[in-house]
Amino acid sequence: MRAGLIAGAMLMAGAPAGAALSPAGAARAVQPRTISTSVEAGYEPAIGLLEKLVNQNSGSMNLAGVKAVADMLRPEFERLGFVVTWQPMDAAKRAGHLIAVHKGRAGTTKMLLIGHLDTVFELDSPFQTFERKGDLARGPGVADDKGGVVTMLLALKAMQAAGTLKGANIEVVLTGDEEDSGDPISIARSDLIAAGKRADVALDFEGLSQEDGKDMGSIARRSSNSWTLTASGKSGHSSGIFSASAGDGAIYELARIIVAFRKELPEPNLTFNVGLIGGGQSADVDKDGVRIAVTGKTNIIPPIAVAKGDFRTLSEEQTARVRAKMEAIVGAGHLPGTSARIAFDMGYPSMAPTAGNRALLARLNRVNADLGLAQMPELDPLKRGAGDISFVAQDTDGLVGLGVTSTGDHSPAEQADLSSMKRQAKRAAILMSRLAGEKGRK
């Protein structure tokens, strides 16, 4: 797969401005014009659908609301010829996923389109309503990711109008728990992972990144992993601290480890954070892992201390290396009378910036040239958070950020630039049309 895309990118680099990306030459010249016309005509109806979706709360833990959004989207995909199924996620304590499959010509490129139904705004949030002012709109999930899902549909409808959808092999997976993934993750992402193993290409319809007003191409996402560090010591009167019988106490041991993390872990593309800390006579972490209740006195040597944090990496090799370094720091050099242990919760894997992903971006930039749009430079992966496409990154090449551009995501200030939906839908529709005419690699 990766070798084929790289070769395609090299061929395109020397092609004239009007040349086709795909060897399937039928109707390529008219395709951008037909698709652009369809997207322009479908823009206002798409905004109408977006308003309907945004006004239905679908916080990750509002299971009925997530299912309601899926029910709104089902007929949209069915009208395009997709076979739609709902995959419940009761075993992961989440609503479920919407999966839509369009079977095209045998042997051609199999595309996986990724988005999500849920938002970070639960039923108790005061931020619940779609509001539009021209080409700007506010509302929960208006960009992340209901705007992305609507962009996906607008692109697919444009393909249908251009006659390129009929032969396309496309599988859509819209997860219902991207913002707060279910547990265990092996169940919560099993359908997505299976789809990635079938796909030749994965396209992520989360938000478009911009820098200084310029659209950026995203070919990587960093991982998101959590850790819990627990230090133990001997309790006793503070007058005896540092003695051979009492030792240094749990809080000093915890501090030793955290300081060592700060000194010894830094390397390119890695970030690590201590987000929560507590210690004393007792330190009880709540069931959600977001609070630590502590008791103690200044004259008691603390027998327990707990810290929770995360670390983010750009490759699975880096993940394994950093985890091993953290374990080594925790396990060696204990202060007198203390011990420590660290536990990891491996959440979202990384999506490394591979050569195959770069070749896909080159293809997207060829589409930009055909549309008269500026080239999209490669985005620094440190500026992109974790996402569902990372679960398939080990199995297929991918692009990130085919949704709308926005500001204020994950806050009541979330605002989408609706006009970006037009160029994003055109880009996606043309890219998918061209890929659909090519031989598959799996």
Side-chain angles (χ1 to χ4, degrees), residues 24 64 70 103 160 258 261 318 321 365 368 419:
K103 291 190 175 180
Q160 185 182 58
I258 291 173
F261 283 174
Q318 187 179 38
R321 184 177 65 255
N365 274 323
N368 284 327
S419 67

Side-chain angles (χ1 to χ4, degrees), residues 75-106:
E76 299 290 333
F77 285 102
E78 289 179 337
R79 281 192 286 269
L80 292 168
F82 285 78
V83 176
V84 181
T85 58
W86 173 253
Q87 184 62 44
M89 279 289 125
D90 298 344
K93 301 179 181 63
R94 295 296 185 270
H97 311 316
L98 182 74
I99 301 173
V101 177
H102 186 281
K103 291 190 175 180
R105 288 187 298 275

Side-chain angles (χ1 to χ4, degrees), residues 231 235 250-251 278-283 292-297 300-306:
S235 184
I251 290 178
Q281 186 66 31
S282 66
I292 301 178
V294 298
T295 63
K297 291 183 177 181
I300 298 176
I301 300 171
I304 187 168
V306 179

Side-chain angles (χ1 to χ4, degrees), residues 87 89 97 99 171 173 187 189-196 198:
Q87 184 62 44
M89 279 289 125
H97 311 316
I99 301 173
E171 184 168 3
V173 177
I187 292 177
R189 289 297 174 272
S190 59
D191 294 289
L192 179 62
I193 292 169
R198 292 187 289 269

Side-chain angles (χ1 to χ4, degrees), residues 2-22:
R2 301 184 194 281
L5 285 173
I6 295 167
M10 291 173 65
L11 286 172
M12 287 183 292
L21 268 168
S22 166

Side-chain angles (χ1 to χ4, degrees), residues 42-54:
Y43 176 63
E44 287 300 331
I47 303 307
L49 173 62
L50 179 59
E51 179 175 6
K52 180 181 176 184
L53 296 175
V54 169

Side-chain angles (χ1 to χ4, degrees), residues 49-50 53 69 73 76-77 98 114-118 141-156 172-175 205-206 402-404 421:
L49 173 62
L50 179 59
L53 296 175
V69 169
L73 291 169
E76 299 290 333
F77 285 102
L98 182 74
I114 301 171
H116 62 92
L117 307 167
D118 63 319
V142 69
D144 185 18
D145 184 39
K146 294 174 180 179
V149 174
V150 170
T151 301
M152 180 192 298
L153 280 165
L154 186 57
L156 293 171
V172 177
V173 177
L174 303 180
T175 58
F205 280 80
E206 287 202 281
L402 289 167
V404 297
M421 184 184 297

